[in-house]
Amino acid sequence: MAENTCELFDSGHRACGGCGPALAAKLITRAAGPKTIIATATGCMEVFSTPYPETAWKTPWIHSLFQNSAAVASGIEASLKRQGRDDEKVVVIAGDGATFDIGILCISGLFERGHDVTYICYDNEAYMNTGIQRSGATPYDADTTTSPAGKYSTGNKRPKKDIPAILVAHGSPYVATTSVSTPKDLMDKVKRAIATPGPCYIQVHTPCCTGWGFDGCKTMEIGKMALNSGLWVNYEIVDGVLEKSRKVKRVPVDDYLKAQKRFRHLFRPEVNTEEIAKIQAIADKNAEKYGIDIKPKK
Ligand SMILES: Cc1ncc(C[n+]2csc(CCOP(=O)(O)OP(=O)(O)O)c2C)c(N)n1
Ligand code: SF4
């Protein structure tokens, strides 16, 4: 079958309808092509894509532990190099818990040793597979099972960790963020990362209808709302320099927050203007840092 007509992430998975990470897997494999070996950490994607004896992967695929997909990928890359199999590429796909928290040690090793691996984090902003616990990627004020909003708390109080900056500091030649709601951008970035020698990192915003609390038919819409609010920014950092960021005509964060159950405590029993202002300030800071605002023409 011709390369473009064959889905490399296909039927045989059991993701929730409208799952952002499942869509990311489809787009990543489309962009990466068949000469790719994929290492996936434990998490929703591993669990929903390989219900034994079925698998959705039509590429060589290996499941690693929750914590060490970067180490597994390093070994595969070293072996391919030794065998002279230069046309085959290695890609990691791991969740934010596996990336931001438990896998960071192995990721640091991979980037420091300089393996030719593309590491892709699908960021659904919590540990979904084990019951929606907060991770280092969970946004401010999100309600999770380990940062529950209630009488004494308005949700997660820690800032989202800046993993891209940490990997830029490792000297990575290519670090990018993207979203499933911008499929072409996602695929272009995957292709570019794979074509760039050395350890590259991509973080994909992957809305999770179950964990965030929205209807599965709204995944793309929620992703776009995040971009338009400035709470998520698509950018590319090449050799340590911000090369491109996606410009938007920014709208207040309110609509994005209102559309998800994980933030509903900010709107009832009354609107928590103080907390919403803090989230707006995060978006404003992002906008300034990455220069995303489209300025009105004078
Ligand atoms: C050492 C270890 N601790 C805990 C677990 C249980 N566990 C499996 S998947 C997971 C969460 C995965 O979260 P994330 O990487 O964000 O992926 P998601 O499920 O959100 O897709 C946890 C805690 C484990 N498998 N191994
Ligand atoms: S819980 Fe979230 S990440 Fe997991 S399969 Fe469902 S939508 Fe996808």
Side-chain angles (χ1 to χ4, degrees), residues 14-16 18-22 44 48 122 124 128-129 207-211:
R14 294 177 188 171
C16 310
C19 169
C44 253
F48 69 58
Y122 65 95
N124 57 15
M128 296 310 178
N129 180 53
C208 162
C209 40
T210 305

Side-chain angles (χ1 to χ4, degrees), residues 159-160 162 229-231 233 250 253 277-293:
K160 198 173 166 88
D162 194 351
S229 70
L231 287 172
V233 180
R250 239 166 7 109
V253 296
K278 285 185 198 164
I279 298 172
Q280 186 61 54
I282 295 170
D284 294 346
K285 205 170 154 197
N286 282 344
E288 202 187 331
K289 184 171 175 190
Y290 298 106
I292 63 170
D293 280 331

Side-chain angles (χ1 to χ4, degrees), residues 203-216:
Q203 195 167 308
V204 189
H205 196 233
T206 50
C208 162
C209 40
T210 305
W212 299 9
F214 62 85
D215 194 305

